[in-house]
Amino acid sequence: KRNKIRNEVMPLLKELAGGEDALQKRFSNLEEQSRAISQHLLNRAEKYLLDMPSNSVFHLTILDSTILFDLEREEALHLWLTRVTDNELQISYEQMKRIRHQLNEYPERLQWTIDVGNSWRVSRNGDILVVSNRHEDDNIQTTEKDNHIHWSVLRIENNDSSFSSSKQFTESEENAVELRFRSLPPMSDHSSLEIKRVNDIDGNATFLPPWRAGRSPIKVREFLRGQRVPLHCRGESLVLCYTAEPSIRVRVCAVFVENEHSVGKWIVHSDFCSDDASPKTIIILGMNN
């Protein structure tokens, strides 16, 4: 077939295009147009994901519910599936076509599941899509989702005389945990220090544990994967985040690593990990009742 293309098809294309240079120019233009369209579609898909209320599930009714499951949504779903599974699910175009066909041809069917290969399943539940792995589902018990974050910042202590904070934290310190930091940015009216879920922060947020000091940070989800946190738990894992205006970039200061028995511990980012007996900042975290 290759010889037939080279010996028969290519000469005919050159003749129709007006010569080899003209044919190569057309190929170059097509490639340039393809890259521009792909980038435009990617930008639209990224915006779609940013507009979703959360990243733990894929929301179908964004902006205009009358629009069918178009290329923008398809690209957004592909990105979301890749990110939420930490690149473990590499869904094929044929499987994406099956999902698109199901959504567009049977919009009244609000609950269904499609097997997309390698034990992965995409399910619809009303206006959302979720992804799950059959092997992991077999090892967990179905429980009612608890959307409340039980950890909170109780108090911040800093031995720097220039430190001041107008932030008000909870008084109770029952079941409190003390985290020691070095060179943590000071708190102010334009900054925040709060506990969030991994699903609610930038998917590109990074973390560097103390035992990897001096090396490049890795994505938070990759770190949790290395700590053997099950896939279905990674998005719900908690992180201590620092944010300062006017920048909206979130800095992950600590990550809570929890095992399958709900026993866990806070791990401080290497950049902030205290290396002496007198840390500059102490943050008291507590569990709400």
Side-chain angles (χ1 to χ4, degrees):
K1 291 184 178 180
R2 291 182 179 179
N3 288 336
K4 195 169 185 178
I5 292 175
R6 182 173 63 251
N7 297 327
E8 298 180 20
V9 177
M10 291 304 295
L12 181 59
L13 288 176
K14 291 176 184 178
E15 180 181 347
L16 293 174
E20 182 173 356
D21 290 342
L23 179 62
Q24 292 301 324
K25 181 65 175 178
R26 290 195 178 188
F27 283 155
S28 178
N29 289 340
L30 285 173
E31 182 180 3
E32 183 177 341
Q33 290 175 346
S34 177
R35 285 199 301 266
I37 293 173
S38 296
Q39 186 60 51
H40 175 73
L41 186 60
L42 178 62
N43 292 340
R44 294 287 299 270
E46 292 282 11
K47 185 179 185 304
Y48 184 93
L49 294 179
L50 288 174
D51 288 336
M52 293 199 312
S54 70
N55 290 320
S56 57
V57 297
F58 186 85
H59 295 261
L60 294 171
T61 53
I62 299 296
L63 303 181
D64 186 351
S65 59
T66 63
I67 298 177
L68 293 175
F69 191 75
D70 53 14
L71 285 177
E72 176 187 332
R73 282 170 166 76
E74 183 176 322
E75 180 68 13
L77 177 60
H78 186 273
L79 287 176
W80 179 81
L81 289 171
T82 300
R83 293 172 181 175
V84 80
T85 62
D86 297 333
N87 296 310
E88 292 182 19
L89 172 58
Q90 299 294 329
I91 190 168
S92 67
Y93 181 64
E94 287 299 320
Q95 299 294 357
M96 291 297 298
K97 284 173 60 178
R98 291 179 61 203
I99 295 174
R100 182 178 64 205
H101 177 80
Q102 183 74 13
L103 289 168
N104 288 339
E105 297 299 323
Y106 308 102
E108 72 284 356
R109 298 181 184 176
L110 302 182
Q111 289 191 329
W112 46 256
T113 296
I114 292 179
D115 192 330
V116 293
N118 295 326
S119 300
W120 290 101
R121 297 176 294 189
V122 174
S123 304
R124 180 175 184 178
N125 186 9
D127 291 331
I128 64 172
L129 297 179
V130 297
V131 61
S132 60
N133 186 285
R134 185 181 298 109
H135 293 325
E136 291 194 349
D137 288 347
D138 291 341
N139 294 327
I140 61 174
Q141 296 180 347
T142 302
T143 58
E144 183 178 356
K145 194 66 174 178
D146 184 0
N147 292 321
H148 183 64
I149 296 179
H150 294 284
W151 285 93
S152 61
V153 178
L154 301 183
R155 193 173 75 252
I156 299 177
E157 300 175 356
N158 194 302
N159 59 12
D160 187 343
S161 60
S162 63
F163 172 80
S164 63
S165 174
S166 60
K167 306 292 183 182
Q168 299 296 321
F169 300 104
T170 308
E171 294 293 334
S172 174
E173 294 188 14
E174 184 178 359
N175 300 321
V177 173
E178 180 179 285
L179 299 183
R180 296 172 177 265
F181 290 83
R182 180 187 72 246
S183 302
L184 192 68
M187 297 291 294
S188 69
D189 291 335
H190 302 290
S191 64
S192 64
L193 188 66
E194 56 185 325
I195 296 173
K196 298 183 177 182
R197 288 189 173 89
V198 172
N199 278 335
D200 297 327
I201 64 173
D202 185 354
N204 293 318
T206 59
F207 183 72
L208 185 65
W211 56 86
R212 288 177 55 94
R215 302 172 66 180
S216 298
I218 58 177
K219 292 183 179 180
V220 175
R221 286 182 178 271
E222 293 179 7
F223 167 71
L224 292 170
R225 180 183 180 183
Q227 297 301 298
R228 298 185 178 180
V229 175
L231 175 64
H232 65 276
C233 296
R234 294 172 200 165
E236 297 299 312
S237 296
L238 302 179
V239 289
L240 179 64
C241 300
Y242 174 85
T243 307
E245 297 180 0
S247 172
I248 60 173
R249 187 174 70 90
V250 172
R251 186 75 186 273
V252 176
C253 301
V255 177
F256 188 70
V257 177
E258 189 175 26
N259 61 24
E260 65 274 16
H261 303 296
S262 298
V263 177
K265 63 179 180 179
W266 285 95
I267 299 177
V268 177
H269 193 296
S270 175
D271 289 353
F272 304 129
C273 193
S274 176
D275 57 0
D276 53 46
S278 301
K280 186 174 183 180
T281 304
I282 297 177
I283 297 179
I284 309 296
L285 302 180
M287 291 191 69
N288 304 326
N289 296 324

